[in-house]
Amino acid sequence: MGKQNTACPCGSGRPYEDCCAPVHRGVATAATAEALMRSRFSAFARGDADYLRHSWHSRTRPARLELEPGTRWTRLEVLETAQGGLFDSTGTVRFRAHYTEGGRAGTLAEHSRFAREDGRWVYLDALPE
């Protein structure tokens, strides 16, 4: 299967090259908080730490980000979104991210906050559960 036909890890059902790849390369921006969340999941799945740092709010961005090499992100479930649309300045996305690590399946659940910074959506932080 060629790169053009590879499904995007974000679960959109679209090819990666038509979905999150332009956002990862910086030739497009995520239009909504959910789209940014999906692009960040795809970046985790593809091991793109540079994009993850770039898509993090400047106030909460870690100085360094090292991804766990043994973690394989396998599926994203978006459970709920609030605000985060084309005309909003903030929004939240509740999701479940599935992964395998050391042959064992796991799930990360988070209720994430997003905000616009310099006109583009960025990840701010996780809300306490």
Side-chain angles (χ1 to χ4, degrees), residues 1 3-4 12-13 21 27 29 33 35 50 58 60 64 66 69 74 76 78 83 87 92 103-104 107 114 117 125 127:
M1 187 185 300
K3 252 188 176 172
Q4 290 293 333
S12 68
V27 297
T29 58
D50 289 340
S58 62
T60 56
R64 294 183 60 209
E66 293 190 26
T74 57
L76 175 67
V78 174
Q83 298 179 307
F87 303 107
T92 63
R104 300 181 74 154
T107 303
F114 297 88
E117 185 174 50
D125 59 13
L127 291 167

Side-chain angles (χ1 to χ4, degrees), residues 55-126:
S55 63
W56 215 304
H57 196 285
S58 62
R59 282 195 336 249
T60 56
R61 179 185 305 133
R64 294 183 60 209
L65 178 63
E66 293 190 26
L67 302 178
E68 293 294 324
T71 302
R72 187 172 153 256
W73 296 95
T74 57
R75 184 168 60 95
L76 175 67
E77 290 179 87
V78 174
L79 305 173
E80 172 188 335
T81 61
Q83 298 179 307
L86 296 174
F87 303 107
D88 296 316
S89 58
T90 62
T92 63
V93 178
R94 186 183 303 272
F95 69 91
R96 257 192 307 260
H98 300 266
Y99 64 90
T100 58
E101 188 172 68
R104 300 181 74 154
T107 303
L108 168 75
E110 185 173 300
H111 193 182
S112 300
R113 287 194 313 161
F114 297 88
R116 288 193 189 264
E117 185 174 50
D118 299 327
R120 65 184 178 88
W121 284 109
V122 291
Y123 171 76
L124 186 57
D125 59 13

